[in-house]
Amino acid sequence: MIEAIVRNTIQAAESVRLLELGPVDGLPLPGFGAGDHIDVTLGPGLTRSYSLVGAPEREPSSYRIAVALDPESRGGSRAVHESVHTGSRLEISEPVGDFRLTESAPHSVLIAGGIGITPILSMARRLTELGASWEVHYAARSRHAAAFLTELSALADSGAGSLRRYFTDEDGPRALKIASLVADTSGETHLYCCGPASMLADFEEATHGIGPERVHLERFRGDLPPAVDGGFTVELARSGKALGIAPGESILDAVLDAGVTVDFSCMEGICGSCRTPVLSGEPDHRDTVLSPEERTAGDTMMICCSGTKGTRLVLDL
């Protein structure tokens, strides 16, 4: 982890706060690529992942993240908006890349909804640096709620790429027709999407049948409810502990309460931080990280949200 200080905070849009984070020791930060994110610790047991905003750099002096205030926040976005200020110190991770840009693509279609614009902006900037062809489709509630609209418009106006905007209060709901957009793309175009669940569902349906190497998406949160029915036992092979999982409790909760240290971040099965090897038992997968093949193999799981289809699991912890 890296100790960082909040150098500046800016209201980037309605209910969107931009933080500039610099290293406390003044040394260059680890480089990052377009679409990368960092984990930010906002308090005890409160770690969230946020995409890095801006053009990728090899040795940046600061990182920028933008956080939208979520009405259903379980503490993460609320903490950023209410408790984090200029001068605050936070622990952050090195950049992580799960939503990667294919820089060699002949053309890239970048689709964003709301705060999903953060990784998309980084991708547009990187493609502009490369002189590559791109188009951005950006949907938001209103112009006031659309973060980084000025930056994106400037990129498009320079001739680097094209930008289409869709505002609910002006164009009506679901003005962005993802199916039509995808149908009009060529066979070598790469497609990217980051936004709310309804947008991602439309994107997945529209891109069904397209080679997975050309389809890229990133989620804000998991699609399935977590497995918290309890009533089963988890054995930790390396720690020699047997944990009874109570109703309302996740495996991760029980593991942490038992004093076993594990990595975790999103708590919703979308980041992959808590991936844990399974030695015995049948997981009930509730994450959005594992591939169908990995789910079938059953030898790994996300313990923050997944459970078991039986009464006993043995984990390599």
Side-chain angles (χ1 to χ4, degrees), residues 193-206:
C193 187
C194 183
S198 59
M199 173 178 279
L200 293 178
D202 288 347
F203 181 76
E204 288 185 295
E205 182 178 354

Side-chain angles (χ1 to χ4, degrees), residues 107-114 116-117 120 124 134-140 152 162-166 175-178 180-182 184-185 191-194 199:
H107 184 65
S108 298
V109 174
L110 312 170
I111 303 170
I117 195 61
I120 295 300
W134 58 265
E135 60 186 90
V136 168
H137 297 263
Y138 184 14
L152 275 169
S162 65
L163 170 65
R164 286 285 307 277
R165 294 157 286 195
Y166 311 82
L176 171 56
K177 308 298 183 185
I178 293 179
S180 298
L181 181 62
V182 171
D184 290 339
T185 60
L191 301 118
Y192 302 80
C193 187
C194 183
M199 173 178 279

Side-chain angles (χ1 to χ4, degrees), residues 14 29 33 64-65 91 107 135 138 141 171 196-197 216-217 238-239 246 261 263 293 295 303 306:
E14 183 179 87
L29 291 164
R64 293 196 305 160
I65 60 172
E91 281 197 338
H107 184 65
E135 60 186 90
Y138 184 14
R141 295 193 316 274
D171 307 309
H216 318 267
L217 61 84
R238 283 188 281 123
S239 303
T261 301
D263 291 333
E293 292 77 17
R295 288 169 179 264
I303 61 173
S306 299

